[in-house]
Amino acid sequence: MARQARRDASTPSPTAAESRDGDPGEIATLAEIRRLAAGCQRCDLYKHATQVVTGEGSDHARLVLVGEQPGDQEDRQGHPFVGPAGRLLDQCLQEAELDRDECYVTNAVKHFKFERRGKRRIHERPNAGEVQACKWWLDKELKILKPRLAVALGATAVRALLGRAVGVMKQRGQILPGPDGLQILVTVHPSYLLRIPDSDAAERARAAFIEDLRKIHGVLGK
């Protein structure tokens, strides 16, 4: 707990961070977000990550998929959802008859947070202060895109989009009202599916995830 408290205390307030990044109103395009975020120091995660990983996809996307943070492969390659969880997401989107090229894919936190164990870098969940600091970038992405629906992939994404904690397993598959008329579909992160050891349970969880994604058609149509 003391370790967590020290991290939260070291996270700069959003107001201080915004003063470094400039007037939020000046950011008008996704290309500007990518350019400005490359120098982001809103929290301490930039000190250890290889690079910032902003969202990618259609500039006219009606659907935004929001994950937690970049993983090891995303941090190395500089693109969101290109590791094992991303490949599984692509497969599930295809089975749900959704085209990733028509979506915008991003994360609540733009830098990889990890614990080093020998040569391995083990994923570590961002704390509330880091999520809040990085929410500034997510809010700018959403303001520019003006999507009709955001899919919250896991608890961190839900917190970033709604500003409060929601029980993902209780609310999964439900569409909740978000800020500024945005609708938010709650579901699990695809990495959750990869961690299920029992193959039968994993297949059932995968089918349930695809059914969650199919509900997107009810909002956007086919």
Side-chain angles (χ1 to χ4, degrees):
M1 293 297 293
R3 180 185 180 190
Q4 185 73 36
R6 285 196 297 272
R7 284 183 178 169
D8 287 339
S10 67
T11 302
S13 68
T15 301
E18 286 173 8
S19 68
R20 285 199 302 271
D21 292 327
D23 180 2
E26 294 179 359
I27 302 178
T29 68
L30 296 173
E32 286 182 85
I33 288 179
R34 288 189 287 270
R35 177 177 61 81
L36 293 171
C40 181
Q41 298 181 13
R42 292 176 60 79
C43 72
D44 287 343
L45 295 184
Y46 80 95
K47 295 179 179 179
H48 305 289
T50 304
Q51 59 192 311
V52 72
V53 182
T54 55
E56 291 183 354
S58 171
D59 289 356
H60 308 287
R62 297 185 299 160
L63 172 64
V64 173
L65 306 173
V66 183
E68 181 185 88
Q69 65 168 341
D72 180 75
Q73 289 301 311
E74 289 79 6
D75 176 68
R76 296 180 191 279
Q77 298 182 41
H79 302 286
F81 283 94
V82 293
R87 291 192 291 273
L88 177 57
L89 176 62
D90 288 348
Q91 294 168 8
C92 292
L93 286 171
Q94 185 174 16
E95 290 188 44
E97 301 180 78
L98 294 160
D99 186 351
R100 175 165 166 169
D101 290 340
E102 296 180 1
C103 307
Y104 185 84
V105 182
T106 191
N107 284 293
V109 172
K110 312 302 189 194
H111 283 110
F112 180 34
K113 182 176 183 178
F114 61 91
E115 178 182 344
R116 191 174 292 281
R117 297 180 189 171
K119 294 182 178 180
R120 298 179 64 199
R121 301 190 302 171
I122 306 301
H123 163 276
E124 191 172 354
R125 177 175 291 186
N127 63 43
E130 290 155 351
V131 174
Q132 180 59 36
C134 209
K135 186 178 184 298
W136 190 74
W137 293 111
L138 178 61
D139 286 346
K140 297 311 297 179
E141 289 174 311
L142 295 174
K143 183 176 181 180
I144 291 168
L145 286 165
K146 296 180 175 61
R148 288 183 59 189
L149 179 67
V151 178
L153 300 168
T156 300
V158 173
R159 178 183 286 275
L161 288 165
L162 291 178
R164 57 186 171 87
V166 168
V168 171
M169 301 312 289
K170 290 183 178 180
Q171 300 284 350
R172 68 171 301 176
Q174 297 188 31
I175 296 176
L176 306 180
D180 301 320
L182 178 64
Q183 298 183 77
I184 298 170
L185 172 62
V186 178
T187 189
V188 298
H189 194 284
S191 63
Y192 162 78
L193 307 178
L194 296 174
R195 294 194 299 269
I196 300 174
D198 180 76
S199 59
D200 290 339
E203 186 56 35
R204 289 193 298 271
R206 185 179 187 277
F209 179 61
I210 292 169
E211 284 305 306
D212 288 345
L213 295 177
R214 289 185 189 278
K215 295 180 180 180
I216 292 168
H217 296 298
V219 179
L220 303 182
K222 286 196 176 184

